[in-house]
Amino acid sequence: MKAVKSIIIVTAILAVGGMVLAAQDKKTKSNVKSKFDKGKNVTTVTLKTGIGGATSREVTNTGEVPQIDMEVSFSYPGEAPAKPVDTANFKFKSTSRYPVFQRSQNLMAVLDDDRAIEIGGTSYKSNSQTFYMEEIMEIAIPHEAMKKFSEAKTLKFFLGVREIKFRDDQFSDLRELAGRMAP
């Protein structure tokens, strides 16, 4: 009887330990995805994340605050990069009731709250929908800048006058994506 109780206790401990490990895996799950197209012999790496929540905390009517999503991607021939990928393509999509940006914006990166890197001007296009407006801004960021991002302790962007702060998990994903740009 004592052996059966011991087995039950050990099984319960292992089950709880497994649940804790599974919960930790969920927290550290990456949003960086790779897809290899055999027909074209090209690998595409992407990261999609919502980044527009910071300003909505200060506004009571969240319908008036734009939702900003960021998608980063790059491609290279084969299943692994033979040389560093030149650029990562960043797409910022703002969805709101009314147009917010209305034109291309300057993108600035601030590393460790003390170093600024001017990235440049984005492209701009807008799509008017029935109840909302989509504004899409794109820019290619060089590998060297991505490398500097990944070496920083903190990172934030300024898209025009809008500050974009990255949560720890988003910054971790961006670091991982930058790491995949080189062999």
Side-chain angles (χ1 to χ4, degrees):
M1 191 68 168
K2 212 174 195 182
V4 172
K5 283 183 181 179
S6 294
I7 291 172
I8 292 172
I9 290 171
V10 167
T11 304
I13 290 171
L14 290 174
V16 170
M19 287 188 286
V20 168
L21 287 175
Q24 287 174 344
D25 284 345
K26 279 187 177 180
K27 284 194 278 188
T28 60
K29 185 180 178 198
S30 173
N31 291 312
V32 179
K33 308 290 182 217
S34 288
K35 184 176 182 188
F36 176 66
D37 183 337
K38 288 182 184 180
K40 295 179 182 177
N41 192 33
V42 171
T43 299
T44 302
V45 181
T46 58
L47 166 63
K48 294 180 183 179
T49 186
I51 55 175
T55 57
S56 62
R57 282 181 245 141
E58 295 120 24
V59 178
T60 55
N61 185 359
T62 57
E64 302 297 322
V65 176
Q67 173 60 43
I68 301 175
D69 295 317
M70 180 181 77
E71 182 178 328
V72 186
S73 65
F74 60 86
S75 298
Y76 50 82
E79 292 187 62
K83 61 180 182 130
V85 177
D86 293 335
T87 59
N89 300 309
F90 279 66
K91 181 194 298 187
F92 299 95
K93 183 175 84 171
S94 169
T95 307
S96 61
R97 193 172 191 180
Y98 304 105
V100 174
F101 294 98
Q102 301 182 13
R103 64 180 182 275
S104 64
Q105 300 293 309
N106 243 357
L107 182 65
M108 178 83 65
V110 178
L111 290 71
D112 300 327
D113 292 324
D114 67 355
R115 288 181 292 149
I117 300 175
E118 185 174 350
I119 305 299
T122 66
S123 65
Y124 176 85
K125 66 180 178 180
S126 63
N127 299 317
S128 179
Q129 304 296 325
T130 304
F131 295 107
Y132 64 94
M133 174 71 88
E134 279 184 347
E135 296 176 281
I136 300 166
M137 292 149 287
E138 296 184 62
I139 190 167
I141 297 182
H143 176 256
E144 282 304 312
M146 292 292 291
K147 188 175 175 185
K148 289 178 183 177
F149 297 170
S150 67
E151 294 168 350
K153 291 183 178 107
T154 63
L155 172 70
K156 60 185 165 186
F157 284 159
F158 283 91
L159 184 60
V161 296
R162 299 233 180 233
E163 181 180 47
I164 298 169
K165 293 181 181 178
F166 293 95
R167 294 186 319 260
D168 289 342
D169 60 328
Q170 293 170 324
F171 191 33
S172 176
D173 287 343
L174 199 56
R175 279 186 175 128
E176 179 184 339
L177 182 118
R180 292 189 188 191
M181 291 180 77

